[in-house]
Amino acid sequence: MRRFVLLPILMAIASWPGSLFALDCAALTDTGIPFAITSEVTTRRAGEAPTTRLQQMQVLRRGGEVTIYTVDSPVLYLRTRGASSLFPVEALYSTEPNDPRKWTYSIEPTVHLTRGQPVSYSADMKSADGRPRMAARMTLEVLEAGTLDLSGCRFRVLKYRRTLEGLADRHPVSNSEEITFAPALRITLASMLRTGDIEVVSTPTAISLDFKYIE
């Protein structure tokens, strides 16, 4: 998948306001109020020093749909829509605003997963003009359940392992990702992605109700 290039403008994210409002932890899980997650993303490549950057995830929940802006800078972001972050049905890169891409799956996004019973399914992405961008076989399995504390709020989380094998723009792609997913928020809070000799770890540092909307 496309990776965003680190730009000096990323420092703008660090200057965005922190939470000026007291967090209502119950409201975060029981209502559809928008919120943002700030994370540190560390990339490690064999033989090289690791690099770390800030990233913000803005989450807008409307009924059964979740819109997520994964923001590397005020002009560089990925927007996804779907029932949750596990199964996006649309992806739009800010660098290609006229090419919203559509995901389709061979299973329903509401599939029930049981620990120790991996679910395999196909996942396909196409450009707005119908051109295939990715065709992959995925496996998703529950590893464990637990809790995660963030900015004074405690969230119930499920840890998943997701593997992917297929073609992206006709090139072979293969990766494995460990995902920490919060069902009440319908988003991934933390992740560890391994592709070849590259490992990308996303660690949440704060959750906020006060943030500068990207759009």
Side-chain angles (χ1 to χ4, degrees):
M1 296 294 292
R2 180 187 305 267
R3 293 220 52 81
F4 291 144
V5 178
L6 179 64
L7 299 174
I9 201 168
L10 285 180
M11 297 306 297
I13 293 179
S15 66
W16 288 356
S19 180
L20 302 179
F21 307 106
L23 280 174
D24 183 336
C25 301
L28 280 169
T29 57
D30 296 336
T31 72
I33 58 175
F35 61 91
I37 302 287
T38 300
S39 299
E40 290 185 349
V41 181
T42 301
T43 301
R44 301 183 179 93
R45 186 190 297 266
E48 299 180 7
T51 61
T52 299
R53 58 191 170 90
L54 287 175
Q55 189 175 78
Q56 187 181 78
M57 181 168 58
Q58 300 180 4
V59 182
L60 309 176
R61 297 170 291 178
R62 301 183 182 94
E65 181 181 83
V66 181
T67 300
I68 301 172
Y69 293 86
T70 303
V71 185
D72 279 324
S73 80
V75 296
L76 196 62
Y77 60 85
L78 166 65
R79 186 190 73 199
T80 61
R81 290 194 177 113
S84 75
S85 63
L86 291 177
F87 291 95
V89 296
E90 181 186 88
L92 175 70
Y93 296 95
S94 60
T95 53
E96 299 179 81
N98 297 319
D99 188 17
R101 300 170 189 183
K102 302 295 184 181
W103 281 99
T104 56
Y105 307 94
S106 63
I107 60 173
E108 292 295 326
T110 54
V111 62
H112 178 72
L113 300 176
T114 303
R115 185 175 177 180
Q117 295 181 354
V119 173
S120 294
Y121 56 97
S122 62
D124 298 280
M125 176 195 280
K126 293 183 179 180
S127 286
D129 61 4
R131 179 164 49 100
R133 301 305 299 262
M134 175 176 283
R137 191 70 185 171
M138 291 188 175
T139 299
L140 188 66
E141 62 179 313
V142 180
L143 300 180
E144 60 183 352
T147 59
L148 187 148
D149 294 322
L150 189 62
S151 298
C153 293
R154 175 171 290 186
F155 302 103
R156 185 178 72 87
V157 296
L158 295 171
K159 190 171 184 179
Y160 293 94
R161 178 184 292 117
R162 181 170 60 193
T163 59
L164 180 153
E165 298 281 345
L167 296 175
D169 291 328
R170 291 183 284 188
H171 296 288
V173 61
S174 175
N175 61 51
S176 175
E177 186 173 19
E178 291 183 1
I179 300 167
T180 301
F181 179 79
L185 301 179
R186 292 187 281 172
I187 64 165
T188 298
L189 289 177
S191 63
M192 179 184 296
L193 175 68
R194 297 185 178 92
T195 303
D197 63 350
I198 301 174
E199 179 182 271
V200 181
V201 178
S202 178
T203 305
T205 60
I207 186 169
S208 175
L209 303 182
D210 179 37
F211 58 94
K212 182 178 180 181
Y213 287 84
I214 198 65
E215 284 191 334

